[in-house]
Each structure stands twice: as structure tokens, then as C-alpha cells.
Amino acid sequence: MKPISFIQPSRNNLKYLQWSYNSIRKNLGYIHEICMADDFSNDGTWEWMQEIAEKDKNVKIHRNEGPTRLGHTILYDTLINDYATNDIVMIYHADMYALPGLDVEINKHIKPGVVVSATRIEPPLHPAGPEKILADYGIEPEEFEEHKLLNDLPRFKQDKGKTTEGIFAPWAIMKEDFQSIGGHDELYAPQSKEDSDIFNRFLLNGYKFIQTWEGFVYHMTCRGSRFADGAKRNPDGQVFMKNRETDEWLAQNIRSTRNFIRKWGHFVKHDALLKPIVPPKYDIGFVIKNCTDELLELLEPWCSVIYVDTYVEDYIEKENENTLYDLHLRVRTTDSFKDGNHDIEVKFDGTQVTNDSFQYIQQLSEILSNDEELEEGDFNLGIFKVIINKLTTYEKSLIVCKR
């Protein structure tokens, strides 16, 4: 048994973190290291962490002293780089209960160049999917049916040796493999899309994904900034999240989604079992006449540089606080455009943009990559004049996080 360093940031999640910690120690023992970070909580998390670290010498703790949160995008890497002492590290949410045998299954598959995910058993708070098991053993630690779940565990392990290729938390990787690509990208801090970004980079770097269907966690799901008020049941016993997503999470998800598009040129894509799909990344310049402020905001993330005939400084000043990209390099006036500035140029009239034509923008990478006869030159795509100077792709330049 090779020891694992469990990586657990937490913010105001004390009861879940206690529940999770107890499951690791009860079901997996004390061989494994638990690295926990308190992200400026005010619910007693740090005081509890200090007490546990005094009693359990295989616990490492870190605190963000504030005055604002850092988020797990940053704290995952802090814990891995500065605290984890084992060769295997595992991204592990504070609302996950480790079931017996989890560590055995991780050890069975883990090696350099391989990322291993456990299978999640979750209450029906979210839609079903082929990568997880929906089963209700409680939606809060107070009602968790631990003994019933442990008794039922052999039933979930009936497919001996079954693996698939999805990736999602909890996932384990060799620490050296994680560090060699630069860890998570702070572009997405404090959270949202940082996992999809690093999964893309794992795939492009040739790492193999293994989801074991013999190693399990019970996952309460999203008990942080997304659904900060927890879950409850209606009078019929059906479960739902109180108040749904918080305003904080919704705003951050929009920022992270726009930054993901800026970086990759598309929305998050994966197959049914959550293995990433990474379309080619092209150098694309948009040249737009009759561009409005609203159209500029809509289209800017979808290209390398956008050239418009409108005032740009207001947009740059407003949006710069939402990204690490220098928007002065991404948003320019049309008089600064020269033919040949970009590998691919897309010219159009902003007054003609509709919801249907916007679909072409969103699918441009796939359109370009799926046409085997495409070559240098120009063609019309709906309202767009597309000029191809060269068809170089740049997605592999994104493997190593350089920020």
C-alpha cells in the first residue's frame, strides 16, 4: 500500500470536513496523509483543524488569513506543492466520504502517466449520468445512513475489474505528473472550470484516464460556494438544494466560462463518461464593422483578437477585472488591422449577427478541423467571410500552465 496525500481545501464547510476526515481515518486508516486548507472560514474550521493536527500527526494544515477567499483553484496547488509529502496526491472534496477499499483501488491502477478517479455514489440532487451511481443514503451528515451504505457496498462492487475512462473528483495522480504541467491555472480562481482546464491538459500531455468501479466515495455534492445553504427534503421526501446556486457562484461561473473560452476557443466538451474532448485551437482574428458594445462583449472571448469600429476602452476597463488576459492586446480598433495579422481572419457586419449565425462562431473550431479538403484561401460561411492564411493549431501549447 503506497500512502496517498488527500488534498482538501474548505471554506465554511466544517461539518462536512469533519464527516469526511472521520471516514478516511475510519475506513482507510492512518497511513494516508490528509492536507487541509482553511480558506478564510468563520465557522470554526481553523480551530478544529488545529485540534486535529495536534492529535493526528499525519495531518497537514494551512490557512488563508484573508481578507478575501483564494478558492480551491489556488489552495489545491498550495497543499500539493508545499505540504504533501507522498508520491500520490488525490484531489478530494470536503463533502466526500471514503468507502473501504478506496485506497486499494487507487493503488491498483496508479502509476506515472495515469490519473485514477473513484466512482461517486450520490443522492439524487443532480441528473443521473453513466459515470456515477445515484443512491440516497442521506443528504446531510446528520441523516447519513452509514451502516446501510457499508452493508450495500458489495452490491456496488459486482463488476469486478471494471474501469472506464472518465475523470472527475476524486482523482489521484503522481505528484510529479501534476507539477510537471504547472498544476491548476489561476486564471479560474477562486473556482469553476479549473478542473476542466487541467483535464484537457492531462489529455493533451498523453496521460491515461482510469475510473475504477471498485473504489467509491459517497458524495454530498456542491457543499461550498455553489450551494452554500445545504440541502433539504420536501414533504414527499424528495431532495433539493435550498436557494439553488448562490449569486457569488453564478457570477464566478460566468467569469470562468468566458476565460475558458478565451483560452481554449470552445465550451467544455467531454464524452458521456466525462473523458475530455479537445478540439483544435486556432489563431483567429475577428474584423467587425458596425459593432455594438453588446456584440463586443458577446464575441470577444471567441477569438484571439477582435477588431471593431467602436470605442473599446470602456469594455476593456470593465472586463479587465474579470480576467488575467491583457485585453488591450485582445481588443483593438479596425484601423489597426492588417491582412495577414492572423492565421484565420473572419470578417463580417455586426448588424447581420443573429442567434443562428452565432452558432457558427461557437462551432468554428470544429468546422475548420472537420473539413479535410480545407486549404489556404477564403470562403463564405453564412454572413462570415473566412480567410485562411494557414491552418496551424495551438492547443498543445496550452499543456503547461505558464502563469
Side-chain angles (χ1 to χ4, degrees), residues 230-250:
K232 64 183 297 187
R233 298 182 186 275
N234 65 21
D236 294 327
Q238 296 171 319
V239 297
F240 62 96
M241 306 304 290
K242 290 191 298 185
N243 301 323
R244 306 307 301 168
E245 289 90 349
T246 63
D247 290 342
E248 177 193 34
W249 186 88
L250 289 170

Side-chain angles (χ1 to χ4, degrees), residues 1-19:
M1 175 69 71
K2 294 180 181 178
I4 299 167
S5 292
F6 287 83
I7 308 300
Q8 287 192 299
S10 181
R11 181 180 71 141
N12 290 332
N13 263 344
L14 178 56
K15 71 174 179 178
Y16 304 107
L17 189 63
Q18 292 170 326
W19 175 74

Side-chain angles (χ1 to χ4, degrees), residues 149-253:
L149 176 56
L150 292 174
N151 288 335
D152 288 348
L153 183 58
R155 174 165 61 87
F156 296 124
K157 291 189 175 185
Q158 289 179 350
D159 291 329
K160 297 297 183 183
K162 177 183 175 180
T163 63
T164 48
E165 289 190 88
I167 179 171
F168 39 77
W171 51 269
I173 191 172
M174 304 304 293
K175 179 177 176 179
E176 185 175 345
D177 284 343
F178 179 86
Q179 292 176 320
S180 70
I181 65 163
H184 290 95
D185 191 340
E186 63 180 321
L187 176 68
Y188 305 101
Q191 93 286 314
S192 188
K193 304 298 182 294
E194 82 293 331
D195 50 355
S196 298
D197 176 271
I198 203 169
F199 297 164
N200 280 4
R201 291 155 53 212
F202 287 162
L203 180 73
L204 292 172
N205 207 37
Y207 294 171
K208 181 180 180 181
F209 301 147
I210 294 177
Q211 177 189 351
T212 171
W213 286 79
E214 294 182 276
F216 296 91
V217 298
Y218 189 72
H219 184 209
M220 291 286 183
T221 79
C222 301
R223 304 309 168 86
S225 63
R226 183 173 182 180
F227 299 125
D229 295 324
K232 64 183 297 187
R233 298 182 186 275
N234 65 21
D236 294 327
Q238 296 171 319
V239 297
F240 62 96
M241 306 304 290
K242 290 191 298 185
N243 301 323
R244 306 307 301 168
E245 289 90 349
T246 63
D247 290 342
E248 177 193 34
W249 186 88
L250 289 170
Q252 177 57 32
N253 190 54

